Amino acid sequence: MNFLELDLLRIPTTRAKGIIMSGSNFRSTKRIPQSLLQGRQGSGRSSALKNGQQLKRAAYICAFVFCLQALLGTVDADPVLASSLGFCKTVPVLKGAPLHCCLPAPKRTPIRFRFPLIPRNLAGRLFLRERKPAHVVQKDPEYVRKYNLAYARMKALPDTDPRSFLNQWRVHCSFCNEAFKQRKTPGPLGPETGVPLQVHYSWTFLPWHRMYLYYHERILGSLINDPTFALPFWNWDNQLDQDAAMIPAMFLPNFSVPNAALFDEFRNPNHMPPKILHLGYNSKLEAEGKQNLTDKQIRYENLCVMYNQVATKISARDFLGGPYVVGTDNSAATVNVSAGEVPGESGGMENAHNVAHEWTGLINDPDHPDNEDMGNFIYAARDPIFYSHHSNVDRLWDVWKTIPDKITKSGSRKRMDYTSRDFLDTEFTFYDENQDMVIVKVRDSLDSSKLGYKFTDVSESDNMWIYYEPMPPHQSSGPSNSSDYPAAAPSGDNYIGTDPVSFRLDRRAPTSEDAGQSGVKNVDQLQENVVLEKVKIPHSEYARFDVFINYPAANRQTHLYMSEYVGTFTHLPSGMVDMSKAVSESSSNSDEFRIVTIRYSVNAALKRLGITDYNTDIVVTIVSKGARNTGPKTGFTFSNLKQDFQ
Ligand SMILES: [Cu+2]
């Protein structure tokens, strides 16, 4: 393979910065009446509507909203409402007793979120906290000293204090492992539905983690009396700076500045610097001693994974994940779509982020079957590096919105968040720096500058994956005879086996109906997807699939920087999942499954493979890299493989 020098990939174009200075949002936090917290928001309605004119206007608004919702297809669903009050169950782990991840009750009445007061400098410009790259900011001893001090103080707080490090960890452990239940009406004490709450596997992933970090950062800042304090971001997608994708040295022992509070013992000893994080990481191959890529190959794979998981994803659904509404239960053994139930559907960003978790934790260690800390949603937030990792994920959400459309035929589609009420009105609670419980909506999270922070511009390295050009297709790929391969059985049992499996996918042209459903103006703005529907993954199994188009020869060792590669799916443990299964052929008889739908965006790949019409069928090859299918009962199945437009 003749590699271009990575330096050649430096792209000098200056991308417009994603951060826009916010307008003034200087409202202060106000306490809200208890009645509003009990799901009786409409109690003042009758007095407000006492004259007929108002009633008429309200009727028009209602009709308009109803039409809008019908148009957006959201009329049957309701936004998920969640809090840490009420029901809370323990979280099972493989080693040791179930964990208590419940949170302390608030000492005062919960309050509604208000945007923070953002100070201005003498020139009248807003002063935003600046999150800087970890590999850069660790060179500033004063920053590391403060950062370490903030965590030392957080770790010294008593267990009863919701700001303590223990309780900060519990926030992730509980919201991410079904400890709580979805609620029916607004307010943290609204009645519960029977459905367990899970903030991964859907459009809640990015907003929830953003607000979690927002409060975490403010708590750290307040503990060192520094309102300008900002978390660093672990810039693992950066393949330009030598050390950016390594575990930043300030999180490791023997650092030049005291940093004990930033250290965590449960990290993979085989992944210490100068190893760089590998987004194509395959723990099974590594255990077999067969993952022997050079650093340069790893960097190319990293660029190609970022390109496929972020740059080629243009719809909100592709990048943020699928809808999560009342009734969505991706921990259920079955999902009845016709009854309005929705399976989990992670976005491209979430799947890329999973690999960084997996790579950092203690995978392949039989003494640590839970792959703690980072490799398991239960334990991940016990490692201070978690917040720095998620700071980068948060940054990439901002970056995504600025990436030009080089994907759709129109070339003019803007990357935008969802605009549906179900998304915007989704509600969570967090504890703030004053120990108050705050009720936050997803709509509050969409603009980081309104939240008072920004990220250092690293567009030079971002551009390396945004404008990445995968290697030319293999000779054996191209318009092959797709008729040699079976189509997936719709609603049937399709297996993802030990060996790669290939299916023929019949394609069709998009229609104006597809455009209408996706909320775009015309068919040329649509994103074409290959969708693996309702993949059934036993809770007790670890999973990773890489998918290739028109390359049925693809196998576990096929490089990911090729034109035929279209993306990755990984399933991280959340709940009782045995990571040791990732390296053994054994499987459990657990009948607990997670049901997820996986979406691969193929516009750019089809173009590279010379497929410019909609009459050409394609071959989709799924290469399983995690635990293996050992039988119909224990392997991975999916209900359908289909083409879809977003
Ligand atoms: Cu999480």
Side-chain angles (χ1 to χ4, degrees):
M1 184 59 53
N2 198 3
F3 286 103
L4 295 166
E5 280 305 311
L6 279 166
D7 278 5
L8 292 180
L9 287 167
R10 279 177 197 249
I11 289 161
T13 46
T14 44
R15 182 166 45 83
K17 278 173 92 178
I19 317 295
I20 301 153
M21 290 290 193
S22 84
S24 39
N25 273 294
F26 294 129
R27 285 169 294 168
S28 60
T29 299
K30 283 201 187 95
R31 221 157 275 283
I32 57 159
Q34 187 74 35
S35 61
L36 287 186
L37 301 169
Q38 309 286 347
R40 293 197 296 271
Q41 268 192 310
S43 59
R45 208 180 284 161
S46 57
S47 62
L49 298 178
K50 57 188 169 212
N51 76 52
Q53 223 176 1
Q54 275 175 309
L55 198 65
K56 228 172 171 179
R57 200 185 307 153
Y60 285 134
I61 292 170
C62 283
F64 175 72
V65 169
F66 181 80
C67 286
L68 206 67
Q69 283 181 352
L71 214 64
L72 295 169
T74 59
V75 79
D76 291 325
D78 278 311
V80 165
L81 309 161
S83 81
S84 59
L85 293 177
F87 172 89
C88 178
K89 73 168 179 63
T90 53
V91 174
V93 285
L94 283 163
K95 200 169 172 179
L99 296 177
H100 168 86
C101 297
C102 308
L103 292 162
K107 294 190 185 101
R108 293 179 286 272
T109 308
I111 54 179
R112 289 253 170 223
F113 173 82
R114 290 285 178 264
F115 285 105
L117 193 122
I118 302 170
R120 286 175 187 272
N121 63 18
L122 287 174
R125 305 247 330 247
L126 291 174
F127 179 84
L128 301 175
R129 299 169 191 244
E130 184 174 347
R131 296 189 185 166
K132 297 175 180 164
H135 68 286
V136 174
V137 82
Q138 67 185 4
K139 292 177 188 138
D140 173 1
E142 185 50 24
Y143 178 83
V144 179
R145 197 191 60 76
K146 274 171 32 176
Y147 185 34
N148 182 62
L149 180 65
Y151 273 114
R153 289 187 175 162
M154 186 180 256
K155 287 178 176 182
L157 291 172
D159 295 357
T160 49
D161 189 323
R163 302 168 304 163
S164 72
F165 191 70
L166 176 80
N167 284 319
Q168 290 293 299
W169 157 61
R170 283 174 170 164
V171 172
H172 194 265
C173 175
S174 56
F175 277 87
C176 304
N177 293 285
E178 289 119 21
F180 305 129
K181 286 189 172 148
Q182 298 176 358
R183 290 179 186 278
K184 280 181 190 153
T185 51
L189 279 171
E192 283 152 359
T193 67
V195 182
L197 178 77
Q198 168 60 261
V199 297
H200 295 87
Y201 312 105
S202 74
W203 67 20
T204 51
F205 169 73
L206 287 168
W208 185 87
H209 285 83
R210 171 167 285 180
M211 296 313 291
Y212 175 34
L213 252 64
Y214 169 76
Y215 287 111
H216 186 74
E217 181 173 75
R218 292 175 73 89
I219 294 168
L220 288 171
S222 78
L223 291 171
I224 51 171
N225 296 317
D226 181 357
T228 70
F229 174 81
L231 285 166
F233 62 88
W234 178 13
N235 196 188
W236 41 258
D237 58 299
N238 175 345
Q239 309 305 319
L240 183 63
D241 300 326
Q242 209 53 35
D243 55 345
M246 296 174 197
I247 293 185
M250 69 173 154
F251 292 105
L252 300 172
N254 305 320
F255 193 66
S256 53
V257 181
N259 68 337
L262 303 177
F263 177 65
D264 182 65
E265 61 178 305
F266 301 113
R267 295 181 189 140
N268 196 323
N270 300 319
H271 295 166
M272 292 297 143
K275 289 262 175 69
I276 51 176
L277 192 152
H278 182 198
L279 294 174
Y281 176 61
N282 179 344
S283 61
K284 186 162 174 70
L285 275 186
E286 184 183 57
E288 292 168 358
K290 290 182 193 156
Q291 187 150 64
N292 300 314
L293 276 72
T294 64
D295 271 9
K296 192 177 277 183
Q297 286 174 315
I298 290 175
R299 289 192 189 280
Y300 271 99
E301 289 207 348
N302 287 352
L303 291 177
C304 203
V305 170
M306 286 302 293
Y307 167 76
N308 276 294
Q309 298 297 124
V310 180
T312 69
K313 309 264 183 201
I314 200 151
S315 78
R317 185 162 192 160
D318 279 272
F319 181 73
L320 284 102
Y324 186 67
V325 291
V326 167
T328 304
D329 182 2
N330 49 44
S331 68
T334 53
V335 177
N336 185 352
V337 176
S338 55
E341 295 171 19
V342 197
E345 184 183 313
S346 299
M349 188 65 250
E350 186 179 345
N351 280 324
H353 125 284
N354 281 352
V355 186
H357 272 281
E358 179 199 344
W359 184 86
T360 310
L362 277 173
I363 206 165
N364 290 341
D365 183 340
D367 290 338
H368 296 274
D370 290 300
N371 193 22
E372 61 267 36
D373 280 330
M374 276 285 278
N376 187 319
F377 289 149
I378 297 170
Y379 291 111
R382 273 197 326 198
D383 187 339
I385 206 172
F386 168 93
Y387 305 91
S388 179
H389 163 47
H390 267 277
S391 179
N392 195 40
V393 173
D394 197 50
R395 181 186 74 83
L396 291 166
W397 184 11
D398 278 355
V399 171
W400 174 75
K401 291 183 201 175
T402 71
I403 302 175
D405 175 8
K406 296 187 329 105
I407 302 303
T408 73
K409 228 175 177 178
S410 76
S412 64
R413 181 161 171 187
K414 259 187 137 62
R415 295 167 201 248
M416 284 161 41
D417 296 318
Y418 285 96
T419 53
S420 72
R421 187 184 69 91
D422 291 336
F423 176 69
L424 299 173
D425 285 344
T426 297
E427 202 174 271
F428 308 110
T429 58
F430 292 98
Y431 280 101
D432 70 5
E433 64 276 20
N434 303 314
Q435 305 189 51
D436 274 316
M437 178 181 268
V438 189
I439 306 159
V440 178
K441 284 184 188 290
V442 161
R443 64 171 75 249
D444 303 324
S445 73
L446 305 179
D447 183 342
S448 52
S449 66
K450 278 191 179 175
L451 295 171
Y453 67 89
K454 63 178 180 180
F455 296 93
T456 303
D457 179 0
V458 290
S459 50
E460 202 181 343
S461 61
D462 294 340
N463 285 339
M464 288 173 68
W465 51 261
I466 292 172
Y467 297 99
Y468 182 71
E469 297 280 350
M471 297 290 159
H474 294 82
Q475 298 228 310
S476 57
S477 78
S480 56
N481 9 341
S482 56
S483 53
D484 291 354
Y485 298 91
S491 78
D493 283 330
N494 300 286
Y495 296 105
I496 299 173
T498 306
D499 297 319
V501 283
S502 297
F503 296 92
R504 182 184 79 245
L505 178 65
D506 302 329
R507 292 169 68 241
R508 64 168 176 89
T511 62
S512 51
E513 207 185 335
D514 294 319
Q517 275 172 4
S518 301
V520 296
K521 283 191 208 119
N522 57 61
V523 291
D524 287 348
Q525 290 189 315
L526 283 167
Q527 160 129 53
E528 183 172 347
N529 288 331
V530 167
V531 186
L532 272 177
E533 270 190 326
K534 293 200 269 175
V535 185
K536 200 169 161 189
I537 301 167
H539 271 275
S540 56
E541 301 279 1
Y542 160 73
R544 173 168 183 145
F545 314 127
D546 287 311
V547 170
F548 299 81
I549 300 290
N550 278 7
Y551 190 53
N555 59 53
R556 286 197 296 155
Q557 269 149 318
T558 302
H559 293 309
L560 303 185
Y561 42 70
M562 309 307 299
S563 280
E564 296 94 341
Y565 168 69
V566 290
T568 287
F569 165 80
T570 33
H571 174 246
L572 265 203
S574 74
M576 200 181 59
V577 181
D578 186 351
M579 294 306 287
S580 65
K581 302 282 163 48
V583 292
S584 72
E585 297 295 327
S586 67
S587 37
S588 86
N589 289 320
S590 162
D591 52 2
E592 302 241 315
F593 294 91
R594 189 170 297 287
I595 310 282
V596 291
T597 285
I598 312 170
R599 203 167 274 282
Y600 298 92
S601 318
V602 296
N603 297 50
L606 291 172
K607 211 172 172 184
R608 285 194 303 270
L609 298 175
I611 300 168
T612 50
D613 63 0
Y614 289 105
N615 302 321
T616 311
D617 296 337
I618 54 175
V619 180
V620 178
T621 300
I622 306 162
V623 181
S624 174
K625 293 177 169 175
R628 312 316 204 68
N629 190 18
T630 48
K633 273 194 156 173
T634 54
F636 310 131
T637 62
F638 60 96
S639 74
N640 200 6
L641 173 75
K642 65 171 197 187
Q643 179 210 29
D644 174 89
F645 295 96
Q646 285 297 319

